[in-house]
């Protein structure tokens, strides 16, 4: 549900290849749009070799060497020749962020890359519901996601509102132990379905969204918070900054005093929360709606098909 292990990738490729090859024989496809260089890009490259079907691949982060050093570091070294072959033979590698595009181009000088952001439906959340002064965190519970920085900032301190943390993963138990050392009302709600009424209500009625990941590509949870019209505090990470622009408060999350002061200041200023949330929603509507993003994909597909 929250992680893909290396040993799961090989049987996936073995089972997927004949099935997709059969689909290609039954129907006429113009282009293959694949997500993740590993493992799906390998599948796209194999199909290209056997059928000639051109492919583009969207990179997402952990499938790029250097993006996520706490996972897949050894695998990227071992599989580097295969990674370069997949990237080289792709008609285009789509990068949701400039940060990820730079990492890919650093690894492959021959890559053809294009920047296309992630998209969001504007009606996913209602930004006009009355907001309660509370903090929301929604993410997978990995150390890289940075929830521990929020809990560090709250150690021995009391925030004047409740904090709801949504998500599951291997780092969850560590975070729960850290939360025990705070005086703030912190609630771990576990994994919630993205389409659930409970998660929708949390997004639509919470005033502040906090996401202080160490490194990101183009995080969907920030787009969701922008859709809901929330005031956002995020890290100075380049991937997050590309999403929120100047519509959020950005902090060095490891500087706990500064982080807490920023958070407490926002909690005590409902007018600023409202203004930030309104600007975030406007940025989303200007740049990241699905019609705008889909038009960029359509243009790329037409160029490839030619």
């Amino acid at each position: 549900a929250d992680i893909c292990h290396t040993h799961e990738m090989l049987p996936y490729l073995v089972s997927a290849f004949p099935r997709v090859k059969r689909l290609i024989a039954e129907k006429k496809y113009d282009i293959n749009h694949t997500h993740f260089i590993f493992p799906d890009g390998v599948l796209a490259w194999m199909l290209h070799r056997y059928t000639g079907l051109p492919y583009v691949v969207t990179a997402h982060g952990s499938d790029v060497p250097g993006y996520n050093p706490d996972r897949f570091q050894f695998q990227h070294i071992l599989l580097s020749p295969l990674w370069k072959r997949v990237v080289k033979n792709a008609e285009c590698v789509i990068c949701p962020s400039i940060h990820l595009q730079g990492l890919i181009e650093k690894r492959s000088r021959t890559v053809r890359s294009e920047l296309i952001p992630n998209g969001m439906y504007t009606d996913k959340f209602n930004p006009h519901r009355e907001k309660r002064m509370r903090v929301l965190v929604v993410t997978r519970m990995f150390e890289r996601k940075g929830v521990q920085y929020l809990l560090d900032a709250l150690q021995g301190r009391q925030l004047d509102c409740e904090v709801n943390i949504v998500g599951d993963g291997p780092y969850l138990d560590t975070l729960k132990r850290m939360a025990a050392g705070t005086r703030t009302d912190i609630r771990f709600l576990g994994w919630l379905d993205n389409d659930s009424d409970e998660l929708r209500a949390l997004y639509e009625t919470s005033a502040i969204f906090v996401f202080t990941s160490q490194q990101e590509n183009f995080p969907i949870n920030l787009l969701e918070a922008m859709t809901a019209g929330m005031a956002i505090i995020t890290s100075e990470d380049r991937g997050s900054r590309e999403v929120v622009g100047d519509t959020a408060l950005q902090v060095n999350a490891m500087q706990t005093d500064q982080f807490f002061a920023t958070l407490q200041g926002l909690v005590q200023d409902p007018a600023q929360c409202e203004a930030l949330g309104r600007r975030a929603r406007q940025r989303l509507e200007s740049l990241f709606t699905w019609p705008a993003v889909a038009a960029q994909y359509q243009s790329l597909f037409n160029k490839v098909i030619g």
Side-chain angles (χ1 to χ4, degrees):
D2 56 67
I3 188 170
C4 178
H5 296 282
T6 305
H7 67 269
E8 296 172 312
M9 295 182 184
L10 183 59
Y12 162 72
L13 289 173
V14 171
S15 62
F17 180 75
R19 181 173 180 179
V20 181
K21 191 179 176 189
R22 186 167 60 251
L23 276 172
I24 292 174
E26 294 171 356
K27 303 179 181 181
K28 179 175 175 57
Y29 293 96
D30 297 301
I31 190 170
N32 172 4
H33 180 190
T34 289
H35 286 266
F36 291 96
I37 298 171
F38 279 161
D40 298 271
V42 177
L43 180 62
W45 169 70
M46 292 166 59
L47 291 166
H48 173 67
R49 287 192 63 193
Y50 278 91
T51 70
L53 182 65
Y55 67 94
V56 299
V57 56
T58 297
H60 285 275
S62 293
D63 53 342
V64 177
Y67 170 82
N68 190 357
D70 59 330
R71 291 181 65 205
F72 306 127
Q73 186 173 12
F74 174 74
Q75 292 92 324
H76 273 302
I77 294 173
L78 184 65
L79 299 173
S80 177
L82 180 59
W83 186 91
K84 290 180 179 178
R85 189 165 298 178
V86 171
V87 168
K88 179 181 179 181
N89 285 276
E91 296 293 329
C92 182
V93 177
I94 300 162
C95 307
S97 69
I98 297 172
H99 173 47
L100 197 65
Q101 188 177 35
L103 288 175
I104 291 172
E105 292 178 348
K106 182 179 178 181
R107 294 283 175 170
S108 174
R109 296 179 179 177
T110 59
V111 65
R112 297 178 291 274
S113 67
E114 189 156 328
L115 188 69
I116 300 180
N118 291 328
M120 180 62 59
Y121 290 109
T122 55
D123 61 353
K124 183 175 178 64
F125 299 118
N126 178 6
H128 303 299
R129 288 182 66 178
E130 184 176 353
K131 298 282 196 284
R132 290 173 51 190
M133 189 52 69
R134 60 182 180 182
V135 173
L136 178 63
V137 177
V138 180
T139 185
R140 292 181 296 165
M141 298 302 150
F142 291 111
E143 186 174 2
R144 176 174 61 86
K145 295 295 182 178
V147 181
Q148 68 273 17
Y149 300 134
L150 171 62
L151 300 179
D152 278 340
L154 295 176
Q155 289 298 314
R157 296 181 170 118
Q158 182 173 346
L159 191 67
D160 298 332
C161 70
E162 69 182 48
V163 176
N164 291 304
I165 299 177
V166 176
D168 201 354
Y171 202 52
L172 181 59
D173 289 340
T174 300
L175 296 172
K176 287 181 176 179
R177 288 194 294 269
M178 293 179 65
T182 75
R183 301 200 304 267
T184 300
D185 181 11
I186 299 176
R187 304 174 184 183
F188 289 90
L189 304 180
W191 181 86
L192 296 178
D193 188 282
N194 192 259
D195 295 322
S196 68
D197 291 339
E198 185 176 1
L199 185 62
R200 178 188 299 274
L202 285 167
Y203 267 114
E204 292 179 349
T205 64
S206 300
I208 300 171
F209 190 85
V210 173
F211 183 58
T212 51
S213 176
Q214 295 171 325
Q215 178 151 263
E216 285 296 319
N217 175 20
F218 199 96
I220 295 294
N221 59 353
L222 288 180
L223 289 179
E224 291 175 334
M226 294 166 74
T227 306
M230 301 179 69
I232 298 170
I233 296 177
T234 190
S235 55
E236 297 171 336
D237 164 73
R238 287 167 290 182
S240 296
R241 187 163 62 239
E242 287 182 51
V243 180
V244 299
D246 62 354
T247 69
L249 302 181
Q250 298 174 40
V251 297
N252 182 339
M254 287 181 280
Q255 294 182 359
T256 55
D257 291 342
Q258 178 214 15
F259 189 1
F260 181 78
T262 301
L263 183 57
Q264 184 76 301
L266 201 53
V267 168
Q268 295 172 350
D269 192 347
Q272 186 184 18
C273 283
E274 184 178 348
L276 286 170
R278 187 167 55 251
R279 287 169 53 197
R281 172 76 186 199
Q282 290 169 349
R283 177 176 172 84
L284 177 103
E285 292 175 350
S286 298
L287 300 176
F288 306 129
T289 62
W290 265 121
V293 173
Q296 295 180 64
Y297 274 110
Q298 187 174 13
S299 175
L300 172 62
F301 293 161
N302 288 335
K303 279 196 300 184
V304 171
I305 296 168

